[in-house]
């Protein structure tokens, strides 16, 4: 059983703007898809409303306090992060918490979370959704890849994998 977190943040820790991402970086999104495919993904209700569809090839779980919140077919509803994790792990060995802020922060505080995939976008972005700064001193950090800015990518970015040292 593995609980992981995956997110992309700017230098100023911004992750969202007006319900969507503050950037359009196709290669970063490919990394997100490649990494989470075949696993369970857990997202907050606002993140789901950004697309209102199923991320294909994954068990999608939306967390909301609204008991009768309507979702597209196959997407599952959970009333708490714990309930979502239990459901996700019933179907897949790895579960990814994919945002937004409250779920990522909660999962970061859980000793059961052992891996964080962090994309760092090389820009200070304007937005309305931010993550706090996390201390990764007790984690092993590995740079997975670096992507330069190009005609399809306005910003360069780095992708890091952080593994909790107690898990190594
Ligand atoms: N850059 C990235 O990697 C990334 C990743 C994900 C999202 N985003 C962006 O971030 C923004 C959305 O994030 P957000 O933080 O504003 O919202 P969010 O976490 O996606 O959704 C918040 C809602 O989720 C539900 N929720 C969250 N934690 C809960 C808990 N512990 N128990 C029960 N329900 C819970 C609540 O829904 P109810 O109000 O229905 O109860 C809450 O209002 C968007 O702009 C999105 O595009 C960016």
């Amino acid at each position: 059983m593995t609980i992981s977190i995956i997110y992309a943040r700017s230098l100023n820790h911004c992750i969202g703007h007006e319900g969507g991402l503050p950037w359009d970086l196709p290669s970063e999104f490919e990394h997100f898809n490649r990494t989470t495919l075949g696993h369970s993904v857990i997202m907050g209700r606002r993140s789901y409303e950004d697309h209102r569809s199923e991320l294909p090839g994954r068990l999608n779980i939306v967390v909301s306090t609204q008991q009768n919140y309507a979702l597209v077919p196959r997407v599952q509803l959970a009333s708490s992060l714990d309930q979502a994790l239990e459901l996700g792990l019933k179907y897949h060995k790895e579960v990814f918490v994919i945002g937004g802020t409250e779920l990522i922060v909660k999962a970061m505080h859980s000793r059961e979370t052992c891996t964080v995939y962090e994309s760092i976008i090389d820009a200070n972005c304007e937005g309305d959704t931010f993550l706090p700064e996390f201390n990764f001193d007790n984690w092993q950090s590995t740079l997975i890849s670096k992507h330069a800015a190009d005609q399809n990518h306005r910003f360069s970015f780095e992708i890091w994998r952080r593994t909790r040292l107690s898990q190594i």
Side-chain angles (χ1 to χ4, degrees), residues 41-43 48 54 58-64 69 71-79 83-84 87-88 91:
V41 289
I42 296 173
M43 71 202 85
Y48 165 76
E54 180 191 25
R58 289 148 275 197
L59 174 66
N60 290 222
I61 304 166
V62 173
V63 183
S64 170
Y69 185 75
L71 296 160
V72 298
R74 291 190 304 276
V75 175
Q76 307 281 314
L77 186 65
S79 62
Q83 195 186 81
L87 180 62
Y91 291 88

Side-chain angles (χ1 to χ4, degrees), residues 2-109:
T2 306
I3 299 173
S4 301
I5 298 172
I6 187 166
Y7 62 82
R9 58 111 173 146
S10 62
L11 296 177
N12 58 331
H13 299 270
C14 181
I15 63 164
H17 185 49
E18 295 179 343
L21 297 177
W23 46 75
D24 175 23
L25 299 169
S27 293
E28 204 287 318
F29 191 55
E30 272 167 35
H31 148 74
F32 168 80
N33 278 329
R34 231 182 6 256
T35 308
T36 57
L37 209 65
H39 306 294
S40 297
V41 289
I42 296 173
M43 71 202 85
R45 190 256 311 157
R46 283 193 62 209
S47 298
Y48 165 76
E49 286 179 354
D50 186 21
H51 45 91
R52 290 181 196 271
S53 61
E54 180 191 25
L55 297 171
R58 289 148 275 197
L59 174 66
N60 290 222
I61 304 166
V62 173
V63 183
S64 170
T65 56
Q66 302 173 53
Q67 281 181 9
N68 298 315
Y69 185 75
L71 296 160
V72 298
R74 291 190 304 276
V75 175
Q76 307 281 314
L77 186 65
S79 62
S80 67
L81 177 59
D82 283 348
Q83 195 186 81
L85 289 169
E86 194 182 322
L87 180 62
L89 290 167
K90 213 186 270 180
Y91 291 88
H92 294 287
K93 275 191 260 178
E94 186 162 11
V95 172
F96 284 85
V97 175
I98 67 169
T101 302
E102 181 178 334
L103 294 177
I104 290 174
V105 169
K106 271 208 155 81
M108 274 301 294
H109 286 138

